[in-house]
Amino acid sequence: MSTGLTGRIVTPDAIVDGRLVMSGGRIAAIEPAPVPSDAPWLVPGFVDMHVHGGGGHTFTTGRAPAARAAAAFHLSHGTTTLLASLVSSPYDAMLAATKAYAPLVASGVLAGVHYEGPYLAESRCGAQNPAFLRPPALTELASLLEVGAGAVRMVTLAPELDGALDAIRLLVAAGVVVAIGHTDADYRQVRTAIDAGATVGTHVFNGMAPPHHRAPGPAYALLGSPAVTCEFVADGAHLADETLEFAFDVVGAGRAALVTDAIAAAGMPDGSYELGGQAVVVANGIARLAARPGSTIASSTIAGSTLTMDAAFRRAFAVTGSIVFAAHAAATTPARALGLTDRGSLAVGQRADVVTLGPDLAVEAVRRGGRTVRRPATALA
């Protein structure tokens, strides 16, 4: 049985007015036809490759019920595919979380697990807990991959650490995406890691030395490499809009990936939260590490975000003026970076992950595999 949606359909190459036909959980046809001037936008379900939690729930503790709830929260905001991003933690905690999340990956609740650490540079660890940082060990990684049985999808590491290049080669051979981030590497070290198989830049500009014309560091190397997909946290706090504009111009729609880097506080009130064993304070929607005990100086270290992908989509559209670009950055490009070839675009044969947006680009409905998971507010009234 087929069903259809009428609107302004944002395909990978253009906007097509007409009807999107879904059958068997897939997109069966896109039929051009006139639509009303106020017809909704139909965009691909968002793909978030870097998210730690949301809706008051976190991925970082390795609890399956919390992971389901966090995924459901982001699904309501149009994210039909996401990775459960863990922060730096001891091996036993990583092992337990990987075991707990493997069934969720197998059932499709999660698209995989992302280790953002612990193989990071202490000097650029940001809100990661420095007590848990360590160089990559091949035996540790091999054990985690074995337990995950395909659940581990991406690993962020600092390429200048001892053993990092061997770790990159091991992970790539196992089909795991390697991302470069939280690093104090120089330009050449990053390019060497890319040559070894790294293909993603973790929240580019953040967690690395700022670009300098006499000391080109990770940002230049990542932005300048045609093989690298660059993550951007488009929340107005991590990056100025002008920086986004510059970066989007450099990498283009095919290499820009919007991510939320969201923590449990996404969708929640300002207040106190936790990330990887460290206290976080959210004020005016911006998450930062709490001040150290006894200090009267507020911390300036950003600790993830309260962003959702629909808000990131709207900011990307505001910066570029192109809804096609925004759809690429929020869905098509991250899906391709993760090797998820069955989703990420509105095209015949793709999984029917469709987000319906109103004139203001607010989410009105979400369909995942053709099944409605969020209905328009009018339908709920």
Side-chain angles (χ1 to χ4, degrees):
M1 179 180 177
S2 63
T3 58
L5 299 170
T6 298
R8 292 172 284 182
I9 305 166
V10 181
T11 74
D13 304 310
I15 299 167
V16 178
D17 291 349
R19 185 168 183 263
L20 185 146
V21 181
M22 300 173 290
S23 179
R26 300 277 172 175
I27 298 173
I30 294 176
E31 302 170 343
V35 299
S37 59
D38 61 349
W41 296 100
L42 303 179
V43 301
F46 306 138
V47 178
D48 192 352
M49 57 198 292
H50 187 158
V51 53
H52 299 285
H57 309 280
T58 184
F59 294 124
T60 63
T61 56
R63 294 180 57 252
R68 286 184 179 277
F73 166 78
H74 285 287
L75 183 60
S76 72
H77 285 270
T79 299
T80 52
T81 297
L82 55 70
L83 300 186
S85 296
L86 307 180
V87 293
S88 297
S89 57
Y91 167 75
D92 288 346
M94 296 174 70
L95 189 70
T98 304
K99 286 181 178 178
Y101 292 163
L104 301 185
V105 175
S107 66
V109 174
L110 306 174
V113 174
H114 165 213
Y115 300 144
E116 189 188 13
Y119 319 119
L120 311 175
E122 184 172 356
S123 59
R124 300 290 176 184
C125 68
Q128 299 275 341
N129 194 328
F132 301 137
L133 300 181
R134 56 190 181 274
L138 299 188
T139 53
E140 176 174 299
L141 282 168
S143 174
L144 292 167
L145 294 179
E146 181 179 5
V147 166
V152 180
R153 177 72 67 168
M154 187 164 76
V155 175
T156 294
L157 54 74
E160 72 274 21
L161 298 180
D162 290 343
L165 293 180
D166 287 337
I168 292 172
R169 297 185 186 102
L170 171 73
L171 291 165
V172 171
V176 177
V177 176
V178 176
I180 295 171
H182 289 284
T183 174
D184 213 17
D186 62 28
Y187 181 93
R188 290 298 170 197
Q189 288 173 313
V190 173
R191 292 306 292 259
T192 299
I194 293 169
D195 290 341
T199 54
V200 171
T202 293
H203 45 49
V204 173
F205 295 109
N206 300 112
M208 57 188 67
H212 191 284
H213 59 284
R214 284 192 294 273
Y220 280 145
L222 296 167
L223 292 171
S225 174
V228 172
T229 297
C230 295
E231 294 181 356
F232 301 108
V233 185
D235 64 350
H238 280 76
L239 300 170
D241 285 348
E242 293 82 0
T243 303
L244 277 177
E245 182 180 8
F246 163 77
F248 288 162
D249 285 343
V250 171
V251 302
R255 293 179 50 220
L258 298 175
V259 297
T260 63
D261 197 14
I263 64 172
M268 301 295 288
D270 286 355
S272 298
Y273 296 88
E274 182 269 346
L275 181 67
Q278 300 196 106
V280 173
V281 175
V282 177
N284 299 316
I286 300 175
R288 300 184 187 275
L289 286 183
R292 293 178 179 177
S295 173
T296 59
I297 302 174
S299 172
S300 61
T301 302
I302 294 176
S305 84
T306 61
L307 187 63
T308 53
M309 281 294 285
D310 55 331
F313 181 96
R314 288 189 290 272
R315 187 173 291 272
F317 173 74
V319 167
T320 65
S322 169
I323 199 165
V324 173
F325 187 107
H328 267 276
T332 313
T333 298
R336 191 199 68 238
L338 295 175
L340 301 173
T341 59
D342 65 338
R343 68 196 76 176
S345 63
L346 299 186
V348 173
Q350 290 277 284
R351 197 172 83 175
D353 294 350
V354 187
V355 179
T356 302
L357 303 176
D360 58 354
L361 302 185
V363 175
E364 293 186 346
V366 181
R367 291 168 178 82
R368 186 175 187 272
R371 183 175 64 88
T372 301
V373 293
R374 173 179 170 181
R375 297 183 181 278
T378 53
L380 297 175

